[in-house]
């Protein structure tokens, strides 16, 4: 008796009484033999359920899911109120041709000055910077090189990487003949003077949970392609192909997206290009690493819990998660989910704008929230952009913002906010976000239930024993959630949406560090059997999951490095459908952070021009 709690209706919550409580997880960090033993115990019929019950009790989940009355009605998919139009934008037709949207996006970018990228025709930048998509386009049009020549450089680099031991491939499905075929077609278009768009001849990789014919989609597993055949491209991939992109293969990932480090014993765990002994972050691990290493201008990822933004931050590149419903997930493993969305990982913000323009387009109308406006891009070519920046108000929840493992991260993030104010007049105001612990529980149960729904039939059919230990541990936890738990967290989702929509009445963007730590070390024993470390998982996901459970747009932009030389990212969370605002802000942050950008330890210059 006495366990029952009743939440106050959300519109009656007194924000002045909200107290921030740092989260501490009471779970073991296991790898090697003990991790394999733990998985066996977790899957045992009686003792396994006792362990999951104990872990949920210790970490506050039972109190929220079983003992609490939540008065709000459930919200099973993100639902947004109408938003005011964004200023200084160019709107795109969702039903138009991808290459036409890309051409319109190109006109939104600042004037391209080849001298800023090329040093007296030598091909060497003045300081380290990634080659942008427009650099490749300029090189192709100027006949400095061809898509086929770039493709050969790429193939040679991938073959060298694939020969390394221990195995740590960036691509787990790769066909050099297919890459050469696409490159030859692109080269011919340039010779005939009819490239399809600025993306023609651009190397783009695709995460292994998004269909890219003729490659299989395994989700980072060893068997999923046996039960699900790929016959056509996913919608987002077909749009890139229509724009002339060279699709180089399927990137490595944390198996079925059930982790934030990128660990994958099935194929090998890719190392971080800035320090190969550190994780890339996940689950879009290979996508972030292949961009950060200079091998691709862009890669597609999926983001169900920060899975684009986390690896982008840890690898020092840009990761964009769009509003739920803004891009079509048809042809991915997650097309029936409510927290996952496809998006680009790119070397620069302007490249993210170009790829985003190509892939955008609403999901089927029966499963998305009402989209009251056309997708828009910031007009960065306009002189009004500076005035628009000065009108923006940024929201910061200081206690949450500072609750991280390293002052290097908070110091860099604070420095960016100060520069935004002094250079552009962007004001930062204090906000309060209640029920962050409840938010984490809502995400865990929602993503876990959707993942279990995807995999359970095949697990029951005997495939479960072929999953990694990490995935099996997660599924053991997810199986402990009841139908009532799922309904409860959808009630929480409505409460959390209310809080954020009230915040967005006062601010334009919520700012946080992207992650609560920089790239963690890869334990040697984890390479073979994986690991479970929920403290690391929680720290990496700390700021990311808000945008997933609520379907909000968010971007991670690199802003510098910690004392160990590991990248730090700043996250911008925007209003629903307001990608243009966060892209505009990310662009100026990138501009004044560019001088701090370092060449990764593992970097390949495939745009070699003599």
């Amino acid at each position: 008796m006495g366990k029952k709690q009743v939440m106050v209706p959300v519109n009656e919550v007194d924000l002045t009484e909200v107290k921030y409580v740092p989260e501490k997880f009471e779970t073991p960090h296991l790898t090697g033999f003990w991790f394999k033993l733990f998985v066996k115990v977790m899957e045992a019929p009686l003792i396994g359920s006792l362990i999951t019950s104990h872990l949920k009790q210790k970490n506050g989940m039972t109190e929220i899911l079983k003992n609490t009355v939540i008065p709000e009605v459930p919200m099973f998919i993100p639902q947004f109120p109408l938003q005011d139009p964004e200023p200084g934008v160019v709107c795109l037709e969702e039903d138009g041709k991808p290459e036409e949207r890309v051409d319109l996006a190109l006109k939104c970018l600042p004037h391209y000055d080849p001298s800023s990228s090329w040093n007296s025709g030598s091909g060497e930048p003045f300081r380290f910077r990634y080659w942008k998509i427009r650099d490749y386009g300029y090189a192709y049009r100027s006949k400095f090189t061809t898509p086929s020549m770039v493709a050969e450089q790429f193939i040679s680099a991938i073959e060298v990487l694939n020969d390394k031991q221990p195995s740590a491939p960036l691509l787990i499905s790769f066909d050099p003949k297919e890459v050469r075929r696409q490159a030859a077609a692109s080269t011919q278009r340039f010779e005939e003077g009819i490239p399809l768009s600025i993306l023609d001849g651009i190397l783009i990789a695709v995460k292994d949970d998004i269909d890219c014919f003729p490659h299989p989609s395994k989700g980072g597993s060893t068997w999923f392609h046996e039960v699900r055949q790929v016959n056509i491209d996913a919608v987002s991939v077909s749009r890139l192909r229509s724009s002339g992109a060279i699709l180089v293969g399927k990137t490595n990932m944390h198996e079925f997206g059930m982790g934030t480090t990128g660990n994958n014993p099935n194929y090998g765990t890719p190392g971080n290009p800035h320090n190969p002994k550190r994780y890339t972050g996940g689950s879009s691990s290979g996508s972030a690493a292949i961009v950060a290493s200079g091998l691709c201008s862009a890669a597609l990822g999926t983001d169900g819990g920060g899975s684009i933004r986390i690896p982008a931050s840890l690898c020092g590149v840009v990761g964009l998660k769009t509003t739920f419903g803004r891009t079509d997930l048809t042809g991915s493993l997650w097309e029936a989910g409510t927290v996952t969305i496809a998006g680009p990982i790119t070397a620069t913000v302007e490249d993210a704008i170009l790829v985003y323009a190509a892939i955008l387009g609403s999901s089927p109308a029966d499963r998305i929230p009402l989209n009251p406006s056309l997708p828009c891009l910031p007009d960065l070519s306009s002189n009004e952009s500076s005035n628009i920046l000065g009108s923006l108000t940024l929201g910061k929840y200081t206690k949450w913002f500072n609750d991280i493992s390293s002052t290097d991260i908070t110091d860099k993030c604070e420095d960016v906010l100060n520069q935004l104010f002094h250079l552009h007049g962007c004001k930062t105001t204090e906000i309060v976000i209640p029920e962050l612990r409840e938010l984490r529980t809502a995400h865990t149960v929602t993503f876990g239930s959707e993942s279990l729904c995807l995999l359970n039939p095949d697990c029951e059919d005997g495939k479960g024993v072929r999953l990694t230990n990490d995935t099996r541990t997660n599924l053991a936890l997810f199986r402990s959630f009841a139908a009532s738990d799922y309904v409860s967290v959808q009630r929480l989702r409505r409460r959390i949406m209310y809080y954020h929509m009230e915040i967005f009445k006062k601010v334009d963007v919520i700012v946080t560090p992207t992650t609560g730590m920089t790239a963690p070390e890869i334990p040697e024993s984890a390479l073979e059997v994986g690991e479970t470390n929920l403290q690391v998982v929680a720290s990496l996901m700390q700021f990311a999951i808000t945008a997933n459970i609520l379907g909000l747009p968010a971007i991670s932009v690199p802003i510098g490095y910690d004392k160990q030389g590991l990248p730090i990212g700043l996250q911008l969370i925007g209003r629903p459908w307001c990608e243009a605002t966060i892209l505009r802000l990310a662009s100026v942050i990138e501009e004044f952070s560019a001088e701090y950008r370092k060449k990764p330890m593992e970097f390949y210059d495939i745009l070699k021009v003599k």
Side-chain angles (χ1 to χ4, degrees):
M1 299 296 292
K3 292 183 179 180
K4 178 180 176 180
Q5 300 182 37
V6 180
M7 281 185 157
V8 175
V10 65
N11 59 347
E12 298 177 14
V13 172
D14 184 354
L15 296 184
T16 63
E17 296 296 320
V18 172
K19 291 181 172 58
Y20 179 76
V21 180
E23 285 202 73
K24 294 183 179 179
F25 286 84
E26 295 189 27
T27 55
H29 173 206
L30 299 172
T31 186
F33 167 79
W34 294 109
F35 186 29
K36 292 192 286 186
L37 179 62
F38 180 72
V39 172
K40 295 287 187 183
V41 173
M42 284 282 285
E43 292 178 335
L46 179 60
I47 192 169
S49 61
L50 291 175
I51 291 174
T52 55
S53 177
H54 174 75
L55 290 175
K56 289 193 293 184
Q57 180 76 39
K58 280 290 186 181
N59 292 289
M61 296 184 74
T62 302
E63 177 186 344
I64 296 168
L65 297 174
K66 304 299 184 186
N67 304 334
T68 303
V69 177
I70 307 165
E72 284 67 39
V73 298
M75 178 187 289
F76 292 103
I77 62 171
Q79 298 171 359
F80 312 122
L82 292 174
Q83 302 295 310
D84 293 333
E86 298 172 277
V89 299
V90 174
C91 294
L92 306 174
E93 291 290 341
E94 288 182 306
D95 297 331
K97 294 181 178 180
E99 57 269 34
E100 292 176 352
R101 291 197 300 267
V102 172
D103 286 343
L104 189 55
L106 189 61
K107 296 174 183 176
C108 295
L109 301 179
H111 171 70
Y112 176 72
D113 179 10
S115 66
S116 66
S117 304
W118 305 85
N119 184 6
S120 302
S122 68
E124 291 296 328
F126 288 107
R127 64 186 178 196
F128 175 73
R129 58 186 293 283
Y130 284 99
W131 296 112
K132 298 184 292 188
I133 287 172
R134 288 198 286 179
D135 294 327
Y136 281 89
Y138 177 78
Y140 295 156
R141 292 191 306 274
S142 303
K143 303 187 185 303
F144 294 160
T145 188
T146 68
S148 287
M149 293 168 66
V150 169
E152 289 302 326
Q153 295 283 353
F154 173 83
I155 291 168
S156 296
I158 289 295
E159 289 175 345
V160 169
L161 283 170
N162 288 348
D163 287 340
K164 285 189 174 182
Q165 294 297 328
S167 177
L170 302 182
L171 294 175
I172 57 178
S173 182
F174 169 59
D175 183 352
K177 291 182 180 179
E178 175 64 14
V179 174
R180 289 187 174 107
R181 183 192 66 78
Q182 295 176 71
S186 178
T187 297
Q188 183 174 348
R189 289 192 293 269
F190 275 99
E191 289 173 351
E192 296 172 356
I194 52 170
L196 297 176
S197 76
I198 193 64
L199 295 183
D200 207 333
I202 301 301
L203 305 186
I204 297 181
V206 179
K207 188 178 178 182
D208 195 37
D209 58 358
I210 304 173
D211 293 347
C212 180
F213 186 80
H215 300 280
S217 291
K218 307 174 188 175
S221 74
T222 59
W223 57 266
F224 200 68
H225 61 295
E226 299 170 8
V227 300
R228 180 182 179 277
Q229 301 301 312
V230 174
N231 298 311
I232 59 173
D233 289 333
V235 171
S236 55
V237 173
S238 70
R239 290 169 178 165
L240 290 171
R241 201 184 292 275
S242 297
S243 302
I246 299 172
L247 303 166
V248 299
K250 305 296 289 295
T251 58
N252 205 339
M253 62 177 287
H254 208 119
E255 189 182 58
F256 291 114
M258 292 192 201
T260 58
T261 60
N263 181 286
N264 189 326
N266 292 328
Y267 299 98
T269 298
N272 192 309
H274 289 270
N275 184 336
K277 295 183 178 180
R278 301 273 180 161
Y279 279 122
T280 58
S283 61
S284 304
S285 50
S287 292
I290 206 166
V291 172
S293 63
L295 288 167
C296 287
S297 296
L300 282 189
T302 53
D303 197 316
S307 310
I308 287 174
R309 290 157 290 146
I310 290 169
S313 177
L314 268 53
C315 291
V317 289
V318 175
L320 174 65
K321 178 208 169 290
T322 61
T323 306
F324 178 74
R326 184 64 93 189
T327 53
D328 191 339
L329 271 176
T330 301
S332 83
L333 274 57
W334 308 105
E335 59 185 61
T338 69
V339 296
T340 304
I341 196 79
I345 296 176
T346 59
T348 67
V349 174
E350 75 164 54
D351 290 352
I353 290 172
L354 294 172
V355 176
Y356 165 58
I359 67 173
L360 65 82
S362 293
S363 299
D366 61 349
R367 59 173 295 272
I368 65 165
L370 174 67
N371 179 355
S373 64
L374 292 172
C376 297
L377 297 176
D379 187 357
L380 302 179
S381 66
S382 169
N383 294 328
E384 291 298 311
S385 191
S386 181
N387 293 333
I388 294 170
L389 286 167
S391 69
L392 296 179
T393 300
L394 314 180
K396 173 191 170 192
Y397 187 13
T398 300
K399 291 181 179 179
W400 189 38
F401 190 100
N402 292 337
D403 183 21
I404 54 182
S405 63
S406 169
T407 56
D408 291 351
I409 298 175
T410 51
D411 289 346
K412 287 290 183 184
C413 292
E414 289 283 3
D415 183 53
V416 168
L417 298 184
N418 290 333
Q419 289 190 68
L420 284 173
F421 175 72
H422 291 298
L423 296 177
H424 299 282
C426 300
K427 305 177 189 66
T428 301
T429 188
E430 184 68 18
I431 59 174
V432 174
I433 306 176
E435 300 174 18
L436 289 170
R437 185 183 67 164
E438 287 79 359
L439 184 153
R440 183 180 293 280
T441 298
H443 177 268
T444 300
V445 175
T446 303
F447 178 77
S449 298
E450 292 175 0
S451 300
L452 192 61
C453 188
L454 170 71
L455 296 174
N456 220 28
D458 294 309
C459 290
E460 293 295 317
D461 203 30
K463 298 293 194 298
V465 294
R466 296 170 64 184
L467 294 167
T468 63
N469 293 314
D470 195 5
T471 304
R472 291 167 67 176
T473 301
N474 281 312
L475 290 180
L477 172 64
F478 299 158
R479 288 189 183 98
S480 73
F481 298 141
S484 60
D485 298 335
Y486 185 80
V487 174
S488 292
V489 300
Q490 305 318 307
R491 294 175 184 269
L492 290 173
R493 186 185 244 177
R494 187 173 297 278
R495 289 178 69 88
I496 297 160
M497 180 70 80
Y498 176 88
Y499 293 133
H500 282 77
M501 293 306 101
E502 289 297 300
I503 289 169
F504 281 125
K505 291 178 182 179
K506 302 171 185 177
V507 306
D508 300 288
V509 174
I510 297 172
V511 292
T512 73
T514 305
T515 59
M517 66 187 301
T518 52
E521 293 184 6
I522 306 174
E524 188 173 342
S525 57
L527 294 173
E528 183 178 349
V529 299
E531 67 172 324
T532 177
N533 189 343
L534 288 188
Q535 291 284 4
V536 166
V537 170
S539 185
L540 291 174
M541 295 179 69
Q542 178 174 341
F543 303 104
I545 57 175
T546 298
N548 293 100
I549 193 67
L550 300 183
L552 300 173
I555 190 169
S556 176
V557 59
I559 58 170
Y561 305 83
D562 67 5
K563 291 183 177 67
Q564 300 176 84
L566 300 170
I568 295 169
L570 181 75
Q571 178 180 231
L572 310 172
I573 304 174
R575 292 186 176 115
W577 313 119
C578 292
E579 284 83 2
T581 296
I582 60 173
L583 286 166
R584 185 189 305 278
L585 194 56
S587 179
V588 299
I589 292 171
E590 178 183 63
E591 186 178 340
F592 59 67
S593 300
E595 62 181 292
Y596 306 112
R597 216 157 190 189
K598 299 177 182 177
K599 184 177 179 179
M601 192 180 300
E602 292 189 348
F603 179 78
Y604 300 85
D605 184 357
I606 64 169
L607 186 57
K608 290 184 177 179
V609 180
K610 296 181 180 178

